Amino acid sequence: MDYPELIKVFGALFAIMNPFVNLPIFLALTAGFTVAQQRTLAVKVTVFSAVMCTVILIAGQQIIGFFGITIDEFRIAGGIVLSHIAWSMLNGNSVTSHQGTEQEQDHMQDLTGLAFYPITFPVIVGPGTIATLIIYAGHTTGLNTMLALGGIVGVILTLLFVVLFFASFFGKVLSDTMRVIMTRLMGMILLAIAVEMIVAGVKAVLPGLA
């Protein structure tokens, strides 16, 4: 996996896991919480997200292999999932397949339970994130590339932690207009990456079309 490919990975994951796009969901779920509770939740969400991403990077290919699915077939399916998410972002709609339904998001539990579901899964690490990690991990060529991929995830999770930890501050600074612009821009980038995934997958599965 070369440098341009790593940039694509960062673009795809940042578009899906974008802390500023997910900030309104976090604020809605923690309405009425104290700043201390929000920050405790931010720590738990970051830890849970890191654990889930690590498991997916290490065992994701084995999981899909168990079901007899090749990485290229999963690339096509993942591209379709990402294109659906991207299209919803472009149109300003909520992505229930990645973020859960409104009823699921409104379900309040203790801090640990809320941190994992629905904030970590499926808001942060949903089908789009899982598909992207498995697809790109399947095309790593060595330990250095896998570490680079893990580093990209680490950078995004660090940004996520900072934004959620200071959610009360960013919630006041980030206007609705800025959120809309960022969501639409990330949606266009994600759609382009999704199309590339589908095309590359179809070429590998059906080489005659290439």
Side-chain angles (χ1 to χ4, degrees), residues 21-35:
V21 172
N22 289 316
L23 178 62
I25 299 174
F26 181 82
L27 290 173
L29 289 172
T30 58
F33 284 23
T34 65
V35 174

Side-chain angles (χ1 to χ4, degrees), residues 49-103:
S49 298
V51 171
M52 283 195 68
C53 288
T54 301
V55 172
I56 294 166
L57 282 174
I58 295 174
Q61 295 175 70
Q62 287 74 20
I63 293 173
I64 65 172
F66 175 79
F67 292 99
I69 303 171
T70 67
I71 191 65
D72 290 308
E73 291 169 343
F74 197 81
R75 179 187 285 262
I76 297 173
I80 294 173
V81 171
L82 292 184
S83 63
H84 170 66
I85 293 173
W87 190 256
S88 296
M89 293 171 69
L90 282 170
N91 287 280
N93 301 322
S94 61
V95 189
T96 55
S97 64
H98 185 75
Q99 297 174 340
T101 64
E102 291 182 5
Q103 289 82 4

Side-chain angles (χ1 to χ4, degrees), residues 4-203:
E5 196 73 7
L6 290 174
I7 295 298
K8 286 184 181 179
V9 177
F10 180 83
L13 289 176
F14 186 79
I16 301 171
M17 303 172 69
N18 192 317
F20 295 102
V21 172
N22 289 316
L23 178 62
I25 299 174
F26 181 82
L27 290 173
L29 289 172
T30 58
F33 284 23
T34 65
V35 174
Q37 288 176 318
Q38 285 184 333
R39 291 181 173 179
T40 299
L41 201 60
V43 173
K44 293 179 180 291
V45 168
T46 305
V47 171
F48 289 150
S49 298
V51 171
M52 283 195 68
C53 288
T54 301
V55 172
I56 294 166
L57 282 174
I58 295 174
Q61 295 175 70
Q62 287 74 20
I63 293 173
I64 65 172
F66 175 79
F67 292 99
I69 303 171
T70 67
I71 191 65
D72 290 308
E73 291 169 343
F74 197 81
R75 179 187 285 262
I76 297 173
I80 294 173
V81 171
L82 292 184
S83 63
H84 170 66
I85 293 173
W87 190 256
S88 296
M89 293 171 69
L90 282 170
N91 287 280
N93 301 322
S94 61
V95 189
T96 55
S97 64
H98 185 75
Q99 297 174 340
T101 64
E102 291 182 5
Q103 289 82 4
E104 290 173 339
Q105 291 178 9
D106 288 338
H107 186 56
M108 301 297 291
Q109 308 172 54
D110 60 275
L111 287 182
T112 299
L114 182 63
F116 181 77
Y117 179 86
I119 299 180
T120 296
F121 179 83
V123 173
I124 305 298
V125 187
T129 306
I130 294 171
T132 302
L133 289 174
I134 292 178
I135 289 168
Y136 283 111
H139 289 271
T140 55
T141 55
L143 180 59
N144 290 337
T145 309
M146 182 63 78
L147 291 176
L149 189 57
I152 291 173
V153 175
V155 169
I156 295 176
L157 289 179
T158 300
L159 291 173
L160 176 71
F161 170 73
V162 172
V163 172
L164 297 186
F165 193 80
F166 297 102
S168 58
F169 170 76
F170 285 111
K172 297 175 182 177
V173 174
L174 196 62
S175 66
D176 291 337
T177 301
M178 292 174 64
R179 293 173 186 170
V180 170
I181 293 174
M182 184 175 296
T183 300
R184 301 292 168 83
L185 178 60
M186 290 296 101
M188 179 60 72
I189 293 173
L190 186 60
L191 183 59
I193 293 173
V195 170
E196 189 274 337
M197 282 184 179
I198 295 173
V199 171
V202 170
K203 284 182 177 179

